[in-house]
Amino acid sequence: MLQAFNAMMKRDLLLAFRHRGELANPLLFFFMIVTLFPLGVSPEVVLLRKIAPGVIWIAALLAALFSLESLFRSDFEDGALEQMLLSPQPLSVLVLAKVLAHWLVSGLPMLLLAPLLGLLLAMPERAIAALELTLAIGTPLLSLIGAIGVALTVGLRRGGVLLTLLIMPLYIPVLIFATNAVTAAAAGMPIAGQIYFLASLLVLALTLAPLAIAAALRISVS
Amino acid sequence: MPSPKPTNTKPLLTVVDLECIRGDNLLFSGLNFSLYEGQLMQVEGANGSGKTSLLRILAGLSRSSEGQVLWDGEDILKQRAVYFAQVAYLGHTLGVKTDLSPLENLKIALALASIPFDEVAVFRALELTGLAGKEDVPARSLSAGQKQRVALARLLVCPAKLWIMDEPFTALDVSGVSLVRDLLENHLQRGNMAVLTSHQAVEVRGDVVRVNLSDG
């Protein structure tokens, strides 16, 4: 089972590596949204500092959604998904491997870029630390939740809009707790409560989302 | 050569009162048949008569609206892991990743079937399917027929009791067609089973049963 998990993850990382050009897209999208704010709203430091947590988190959320859409697309089109479904391995383990591989190539780079964007928006140091922590817990959460929606809509020709409608309500709690934590950290308040809540959501998603994704894929493929 | 009568009197694959509805169309209903070891079943019928749907139900990919598919006397949906370990499905979409080489495609297939990677066996399968020398080129650069051969090589390296093949002859050239026929005859001789649909009149020697979906 572990061997299949590893093989699946390695396969997806290899496929991502063979399409290096596409890898940068979500990251660029993330970077662009955030950098446009000082230009479009105001370069005033006080204002930027105030809106920074929300801006970076919204950009991360949209970039995650944007990159997730293709998670099962190619596998669905070339029949690899059918072969996954027909594997004697538990499907939930295989999809978890896929989501993890996806997070490694899309979520992790955002995590690395975020401090830079924090500096750009004049965030104080302790807020940047909190931002990193929330993104570290939050982006895998976004990937797991999003993958359920992607699995449900992969068989539809134009599932993009439906995907957004399905997933956005589920993303909102993550957004609220994460931005709240970063804002609180900037004000020098403790953020343990919000972090615990996000962490518990992540544990919940890690255990239940793979099952939901697997069930959704079986429906989409049949 | 006359086919040996099935020694095992219990059929491995049994279909009971199968019914399939797609949208508002009733494709087939009350379908009953059994398949014994060493038998090949050829599914016949006009376009749109539900051949692919039947194969997908047999493979456990789709659900039938009514009826059951039994493997060794038990519903396949209740023993997915057991059943899937014995079944190989080759559909319209081949499941060959075009960004990976044939070798990499087989590696992942083996890992999914939890079969250890055996270099000799894998290279022999690739050679047998006429892909010698193409092991390491991306499958994208292969022709449609060659991609299908990669999928056939997958059947060879992952031993399965039951092959379910949807139009296995379509993109293949003359040597490819006879290759599939040889593979099937070999497969049957070892007491395995196969279900296939095909528009080409390819005669496979062995114990062939036919089911026609157009007859209703």
Side-chain angles (χ1 to χ4, degrees), chain A residues 1 3-12 14-15 18-19 73-90 94 98 217-222, chain B residues 22 56 59-63 80-82 84-85 87-101 104 107-108 110-117 138 140 154:
Chain A
M1 197 157 93
Q3 190 209 359
F5 180 88
N6 285 334
M8 200 69 215
M9 199 168 82
K10 256 169 55 191
R11 188 203 79 157
D12 270 30
L14 187 66
L15 285 172
R18 299 253 159 106
H19 285 274
R73 174 79 48 206
S74 80
D75 282 346
F76 179 76
E77 279 165 3
D78 63 20
L81 196 57
E82 286 175 354
Q83 297 299 330
M84 270 172 68
L85 256 63
L86 296 177
S87 154
Q89 307 292 339
L94 299 179
K98 273 189 80 73
L217 282 178
R218 284 202 196 281
I219 296 171
S220 283
V221 167
S222 72
Chain B
R22 281 281 171 277
R56 291 177 69 87
L61 278 173
S62 307
R63 285 181 178 232
R80 276 212 185 100
V82 178
F84 288 165
V87 174
Y89 173 74
L90 182 59
H92 282 292
T93 47
L94 300 168
V96 172
K97 292 305 275 184
T98 51
D99 289 320
L100 301 178
S101 69
E104 287 163 334
K107 266 187 192 166
I108 177 77
L110 284 171
L112 284 185
S114 25
I115 298 165
F117 177 69
R140 196 184 325 111
R154 192 177 62 219

Side-chain angles (χ1 to χ4, degrees), chain A residues 24-219:
Chain A
N25 279 349
L27 197 63
L28 208 63
F29 185 71
F30 178 54
F31 184 75
M32 294 266 282
I33 298 182
V34 177
T35 48
L36 286 178
F37 265 86
L39 301 172
V41 182
S42 146
E44 208 183 314
V45 172
V46 185
L47 180 72
L48 282 182
R49 191 171 285 171
K50 204 164 153 57
I51 61 170
V55 169
I56 295 180
W57 250 96
I58 290 170
L61 193 147
L62 291 176
L65 192 66
F66 172 65
S67 71
L68 268 172
E69 231 195 305
S70 57
L71 181 60
F72 297 114
R73 174 79 48 206
S74 80
D75 282 346
F76 179 76
E77 279 165 3
D78 63 20
L81 196 57
E82 286 175 354
Q83 297 299 330
M84 270 172 68
L85 256 63
L86 296 177
S87 154
Q89 307 292 339
L91 185 57
S92 48
V93 172
L94 299 179
V95 295
L96 187 62
K98 273 189 80 73
V99 174
L100 183 59
H102 181 267
W103 180 78
L104 284 176
V105 295
S106 69
L108 195 61
M110 282 204 280
L111 206 62
L112 299 176
L113 187 67
L116 200 69
L117 295 175
L119 283 177
L120 191 82
L121 298 185
M123 280 172 83
E125 232 169 77
R126 53 178 186 275
I128 291 182
L131 176 72
E132 279 296 285
L133 188 59
T134 53
L135 281 175
I137 304 172
T139 47
L141 193 52
L142 296 181
S143 292
L144 284 164
I145 298 172
I148 303 175
V150 179
L152 274 173
T153 54
V154 70
L156 307 174
R157 212 162 298 252
R158 250 164 280 165
V161 181
L162 189 60
L163 174 68
T164 316
L165 285 175
L166 276 174
I167 290 308
M168 272 304 164
L170 298 172
Y171 274 2
I172 286 170
V174 184
L175 181 70
I176 291 174
F177 279 99
T179 50
N180 187 268
V182 182
T183 314
M189 287 190 292
I191 56 166
Q194 293 94 322
I195 295 297
Y196 284 145
F197 197 86
L198 282 175
S200 67
L201 280 179
L202 178 61
V203 172
L204 193 71
L206 265 176
T207 45
L208 295 182
L211 299 173
I213 299 166
L217 282 178
R218 284 202 196 281
I219 296 171

